[in-house]
Amino acid sequence: MAIKTDMSKAYDRVEWGFLEALLRKMGFADRWISWIMFCVSSVEYRVLLNGQPNGLILPERGLRQGDPLSPYLFILCTEVLIAKVRKAEADKRITGIKVVDKDQCRVILDILRQYKAVTGQQINFGKSSIQFGHTVDAVVKTEIQGVLGITNQGGGKEVMIKSVPTAVPTFVMSCYRLPMTITSKLTSAVANFWWSTNGQSGGMHWIAWERLCCLGGLGFKSVHDFNTALLAKQLWRLIDYPDSLFARVFKSRYYRNTDPMDPIRSYSPSYGWRSIVSARSLVTKGLIKRVGSGTSISIWRDPWVPAQFPRPALSNGPFKDPTLRLPHFIDRQMNSWRKDLLTQHFDHVDVALIEAIPLSRCPKDDSLGWHFTKTGKYTVKSG
């Protein structure tokens, strides 16, 4: 049996006193703890009314959504629950995944209640689910569900695949390229588990796993492609936040006089850097130069035309004038494109695409964006 718990308002309910006590129990230095608690407790909220911030709300618990620290602090909090479960298993009060009697279910329920009492976390039994093995009798299933108060049964193999083999290596794949041997073995193990009928043999694979990942509905991810999308996020950070410490460290070592998309060779690069730049091919597919003043855009080389995939402009003939600059095609007085010049130099398909590019009334610098999101920011999902 496996239980999937859903925490109601998980980040918002974390008690600050519990978090500070936990950090001390884990042996962190007092000075470091004070820094962390300052970051956590210095939050203020205001309510937007007609676009203007009003009022002041000072919370007394909770972790900020979107704060890079919050996921790691929340993981530390869940270590308490894990430790309680492991202690119960060591004391022989529960027996791992072989929990099939009411007494052991009551032990688990008591652990969850204790966890709620000290952390502030509240289990949402309406959204939690339980998954039983093939050999568990229907009567036993009903009894256990009654004891735990969890009526939802999990989605079986689909839930297990999405919550274990796909989710567990996410943090590693965000920083490093997994070797093909590992991704192949992981994919093979997941595919065998999916097609198995008895949990032992691999079963008949009716369709290739790569095709199954491409089909809509199930939401499975190709490990290799997911790895690339996560690494592309790091590469995008180097592009989008060039003044961050993360970007400045890599720039000083690998691309001092250029940008992270320039395929220059580095002497003895780290595996981390080689992993990040392996995602260049993905970023290139959606990287687009947004037209501001147009002065920094090379018409025939830079990807500034918003086609299905961003690309340079196409000429309406075999000759491409290398002296042409983009501002030459913009009428700043009318704040519009000069259609006569566009038609003269560009393919008719590109003329329509270029005319659809909005122009700012106050010319600003050209910028880089991601073509496949409305915000222009790269996301792992869009990658």
Side-chain angles (χ1 to χ4, degrees):
M1 184 188 77
I3 303 173
K4 179 178 179 290
T5 57
D6 181 271
M7 302 295 180
S8 177
K9 304 293 184 183
Y11 278 24
D12 297 335
R13 292 180 180 273
V14 174
E15 296 287 349
W16 291 348
F18 163 76
L19 179 60
E20 184 174 2
L22 175 63
L23 295 176
R24 295 189 187 282
K25 182 69 175 179
M26 289 186 164
F28 291 101
D30 290 342
R31 187 177 182 183
W32 190 86
I33 294 174
S34 66
W35 290 343
I36 295 296
M37 294 310 300
F38 175 79
C39 293
V40 171
S41 60
S42 60
V43 63
E44 297 178 355
Y45 296 111
R46 295 181 186 272
V47 180
L48 286 178
L49 296 176
N50 298 323
Q52 298 297 322
N54 293 273
L56 179 63
I57 302 173
L58 299 175
E60 296 182 354
R61 67 178 182 179
L63 301 174
R64 277 180 277 196
Q65 297 282 350
D67 189 328
L69 276 175
S70 296
Y72 300 101
L73 295 176
F74 187 77
I75 289 172
L76 290 179
C77 293
T78 58
E79 286 294 322
V80 174
L81 178 60
I82 295 171
K84 294 286 290 182
V85 172
R86 285 177 176 170
K87 186 176 187 303
E89 186 177 5
D91 295 341
K92 306 298 182 182
R93 291 187 293 154
I94 59 176
T95 53
I97 62 173
K98 299 179 181 179
V99 182
V100 289
D101 64 67
K102 293 185 288 185
D103 291 336
Q104 295 188 34
C105 288
R106 292 190 182 97
V107 172
I108 293 176
L109 197 59
D110 185 54
I111 291 172
L112 293 175
R113 287 170 178 165
Q114 292 177 28
Y115 180 67
K116 171 187 174 182
V118 297
T119 66
Q121 296 292 296
Q122 183 172 338
I123 308 299
N124 187 339
F125 290 98
K127 290 185 177 180
S128 298
S129 60
I130 187 169
Q131 176 66 33
F132 295 98
H134 299 293
T135 59
V136 180
D137 186 75
V139 176
V140 177
K141 291 181 181 180
T142 304
E143 289 181 352
I144 290 177
Q145 286 178 307
V147 172
L148 293 174
I150 300 175
T151 57
N152 299 325
Q153 290 202 37
K157 293 182 179 181
E158 180 184 346
V159 173
M160 292 292 288
I161 289 173
K162 291 179 181 178
S163 60
V164 181
T166 303
V168 169
T170 297
F171 290 104
V172 176
M173 293 194 296
S174 297
C175 302
Y176 301 105
R177 169 70 67 186
L178 294 185
M180 288 300 295
T181 52
I182 293 179
T183 58
S184 297
K185 289 180 180 179
L186 184 58
T187 300
S188 177
V190 171
N192 288 337
F193 174 74
W194 173 254
W195 293 111
S196 174
T197 56
N198 56 14
Q200 301 295 326
S201 61
M204 175 66 73
H205 294 219
W206 295 103
I207 188 173
W209 187 256
E210 290 75 14
R211 291 187 60 192
L212 194 62
C213 291
C214 295
L215 298 176
L218 292 177
F220 294 144
K221 298 183 181 75
S222 163
V223 177
H224 178 77
D225 292 345
F226 187 42
N227 193 183
T228 303
L230 289 168
L231 291 171
K233 180 71 172 179
Q234 305 297 344
L235 183 57
W236 187 261
R237 287 181 59 200
L238 296 176
I239 297 170
D240 206 29
Y241 301 101
D243 297 325
S244 65
L245 178 61
F246 173 70
R248 284 186 284 132
V249 168
F250 277 100
K251 182 177 179 65
S252 65
R253 176 67 175 85
Y254 298 113
Y255 56 98
R256 291 185 181 180
N257 301 314
T258 179
D259 62 79
M261 293 298 292
D262 193 356
I264 57 175
R265 291 189 177 184
S266 304
Y267 174 74
S268 187
S270 67
Y271 189 68
W273 173 248
R274 284 186 282 136
S275 298
I276 291 174
V277 298
S278 69
R280 277 179 181 151
S281 58
L282 172 58
V283 174
T284 301
K285 291 180 181 178
L287 188 66
I288 186 171
K289 275 208 167 184
R290 303 290 187 186
V291 177
S293 63
T295 55
S296 67
I297 295 178
S298 173
I299 293 176
W300 310 117
R301 291 198 303 270
D302 292 333
W304 64 281
V305 177
Q308 182 180 4
F309 293 97
R311 55 171 173 75
L314 300 176
S315 174
N316 64 355
F319 177 70
K320 295 180 179 180
D321 187 351
T323 63
L324 285 178
R325 307 300 299 172
L326 200 56
H328 181 63
F329 298 91
I330 301 174
D331 185 343
R332 285 301 176 189
Q333 291 184 346
M334 301 297 294
N335 195 44
S336 62
W337 294 95
R338 300 176 64 178
K339 187 171 182 178
D340 56 332
L341 294 178
L342 293 178
T343 306
Q344 181 181 344
H345 292 91
F346 301 128
D347 184 89
H348 70 281
V349 174
D350 279 9
V351 171
L353 293 173
I354 294 170
E355 283 189 301
I357 299 175
L359 296 172
S360 174
R361 292 190 177 277
C362 301
K364 53 186 179 181
D365 293 338
D366 303 316
S367 60
L368 291 172
W370 181 251
H371 183 54
F372 302 113
T373 57
K374 292 181 179 180
T375 61
K377 303 289 186 181
Y378 175 86
T379 62
V380 175
K381 183 178 181 179
S382 66

